[in-house]
Amino acid sequence: MPDVSAEPPTATGPLDPRALADFTTLRLGGPASQVQTAENSDQIVQMVRAAARDDAPAMILAGGSNVVIADAGVPGPVILVRSRGFEVVGSDDDHVVVRVAAGEPWDEFVAATVDAGWSGVECLSGIPGSAGATPIQNVGAYGQEVTETIVGVEVYDRLDDTVRRMAPDECRFAYRTSVFKHSDRWVVLSVDFRLAVDPRSAPVRYAELARALAVAPGERVPLAEARAAVRALRAGKGMVLDPADHDTWSVGSFFTNPVLDAGAFEFLRARAGGVGDPPSWPAAGGTVKVSAAWLIDKSGFTKGYGGRGGVAISGKHTLALTNRGQGSTAALLDLAREIRDGVHERFGATLHPEPVLVNCAL
Ligand SMILES: Cc1cc2nc3c(=O)[nH]c(=O)nc-3n(C[C@H](O)[C@H](O)[C@H](O)COP(=O)(O)OP(=O)(O)OC[C@H]3O[C@@H](n4cnc5c(N)ncnc54)[C@H](O)[C@@H]3O)c2cc1C
């Protein structure tokens, strides 16, 4: 099985109808009409343009760590984004702006920032996939989100047939989403991150991480310590890819945390009754973000639940739905529906999928 965390696999040729399962962390997904590998931005644009001319819009696939692709595959061609590299394109006394090619493996980039003494993405250590996909869902973990450091996104706009740079406010970043998330219009070619030149982490905001580092929330620690602590916490939850561990054959969290207004949150707390208060965090505009993992667990879907059709909830984290080796996308979606409906019945809250569903639906 390919290790998508390290060197992402490439396709052998332009007319190779390969199962897309070879290119996803779930190891699920049927064939495409073509799978092509683009090794730089120019090739990405040329391939997208050529597919459009043939009236067969291309699907963009990078690390394959946030997609659920139908067993039937996709009708058109797939372009694997494998552009690499990053460079400093700007600096002042205490910041650098680093431009990262879309296909650069995200965690390798984070490791390089930590080595260089650039602070701002260290808590996003261990997240699989590509740098170019991080704006798509405003990747976040352990108290950091890429919206805090992204200062520009270079895109190919399929509608206007132009390459341009989008400012952060055009990207409309929000919790696990952006203008890019459910649109094929833009192909990300590179991303600019503004990082502090500082050997210390950004203030540690996430309580669990602060505990692991034995510091108070708001304190800073050496970058390498933050990275190591995050990777250790993630590994314990099956959230660092390991080809030998089926608990990591997932898309990470399958559902986002529901964001409720005050009335809906009170209703949910009342429904929770004897099982205690759900873990929750204040969110934008007076709303409340509620732990989806808690809701799933308290609805009876505990770690390891499932097992039918070769899929199950991870043995390490309730939010990860995993392929145990013989799974199918159909079975995975069945399990997801059962969980979504069970949580709704128990708590009245609706769970929404975090990954992009390709040619299939929940
Ligand atoms: C074990 C595990 C843990 C995870 N933990 C986290 C986490 O903590 N936080 C988090 O936010 N996410 C997490 N994820 C989800 C995932 O890693 C991220 O969303 C990642 O950014 C996806 O990158 P990718 O290159 O694999 O994207 P892909 O899966 O290849 O693509 C995802 C979507 O983005 C589109 N896309 C990809 N690249 C481009 C591009 N260059 N231009 C335009 N569209 C593009 C694709 O068409 C698709 O719609 C986790 C996943 C796994 C498997």
Side-chain angles (χ1 to χ4, degrees):
M1 279 296 163
D3 175 0
V4 216
S5 67
E7 202 54 44
T10 56
T12 50
L15 294 174
D16 186 15
R18 296 267 296 273
L20 297 175
D22 286 355
F23 304 108
T24 67
T25 52
L26 274 167
R27 278 80 165 173
L28 296 177
S33 65
Q34 286 186 13
V35 181
Q36 293 175 278
T37 300
E39 287 174 0
N40 55 52
S41 296
D42 288 346
Q43 285 184 5
I44 297 172
V45 174
Q46 281 164 19
M47 287 175 183
V48 174
R49 276 192 180 131
R53 272 197 304 275
D54 295 345
D55 220 12
M59 178 193 163
I60 304 297
L61 191 60
S65 63
N66 210 29
V67 281
V68 179
I69 300 175
D71 295 315
V74 298
V78 166
I79 296 170
L80 299 176
V81 176
R82 298 291 183 262
S83 49
R84 296 292 302 259
F86 60 88
E87 58 174 334
V88 175
V89 293
S91 62
D92 56 33
D93 282 353
D94 46 15
H95 285 87
V96 284
V97 176
V98 191
R99 181 161 299 161
V100 193
E104 183 72 11
W106 172 251
D107 194 46
E108 289 182 28
F109 172 63
V110 175
T113 66
V114 167
D115 287 347
W118 299 334
S119 175
V121 290
E122 59 284 348
C123 293
L124 304 176
S125 291
I127 297 179
S130 63
T134 60
I136 308 294
Q137 73 157 9
N138 179 20
V139 156
Y142 293 97
Q144 274 177 359
E145 287 184 333
V146 290
T147 182
E148 294 158 32
T149 43
I150 287 179
V151 290
V153 180
E154 184 193 22
V155 295
Y156 170 64
D157 184 335
R158 299 195 210 208
L159 201 62
D160 296 345
D161 191 21
T162 52
V163 171
R164 68 186 183 94
R165 203 167 300 284
M166 291 171 68
D169 58 346
E170 282 182 273
C171 301
R172 287 197 253 132
F173 292 123
Y175 167 58
R176 277 328 143 264
T177 193
S178 74
V179 73
F180 309 114
K181 179 90 181 252
H182 295 291
S183 168
D184 289 336
R185 176 169 172 182
W186 298 278
V187 182
V188 175
L189 302 176
S190 68
V191 187
D192 290 357
F193 292 89
R194 184 171 185 265
L195 303 171
V197 178
D198 193 328
R200 299 165 309 155
S201 70
V204 176
R205 295 193 200 120
Y206 202 79
E208 184 189 20
L209 178 59
R211 277 196 301 277
L213 287 161
V215 297
E219 285 185 33
R220 297 168 188 263
V221 298
L223 288 171
E225 281 180 28
R227 175 170 167 80
V230 166
R231 284 188 62 96
L233 285 172
R234 294 184 67 93
K237 298 173 186 175
M239 289 293 179
V240 177
L241 293 186
D242 173 357
D245 181 358
H246 286 288
D247 280 339
T248 74
W249 290 29
S250 76
V251 287
S253 303
F254 193 91
F255 296 104
T256 53
N257 293 319
V259 179
L260 307 177
D261 63 29
F265 182 57
E266 282 317 312
F267 177 75
L268 189 149
R269 286 180 70 190
R271 292 280 282 265
V275 292
D277 258 2
S280 63
W281 307 267
T287 57
V288 183
K289 200 191 286 178
V290 181
S291 164
W294 187 92
L295 295 173
I296 292 169
D297 184 73
K298 300 299 180 202
S299 299
F301 305 107
T302 48
K303 289 173 189 160
Y305 179 89
R308 293 184 311 274
V311 299
I313 293 178
S314 159
K316 301 188 183 74
H317 200 294
T318 333
L319 257 186
L321 307 192
T322 62
N323 173 10
R324 311 314 293 180
Q326 307 301 322
S328 64
T329 299
L332 189 86
L333 292 175
D334 274 348
L335 177 62
R337 280 184 208 106
E338 184 188 353
I339 293 169
R340 178 198 61 190
D341 295 347
V343 167
H344 192 266
E345 197 176 316
R346 173 69 182 83
F347 291 107
T350 304
L351 297 181
H352 297 286
E354 182 179 301
V356 175
L357 306 188
V358 182
N359 212 16
C360 56
L362 200 57

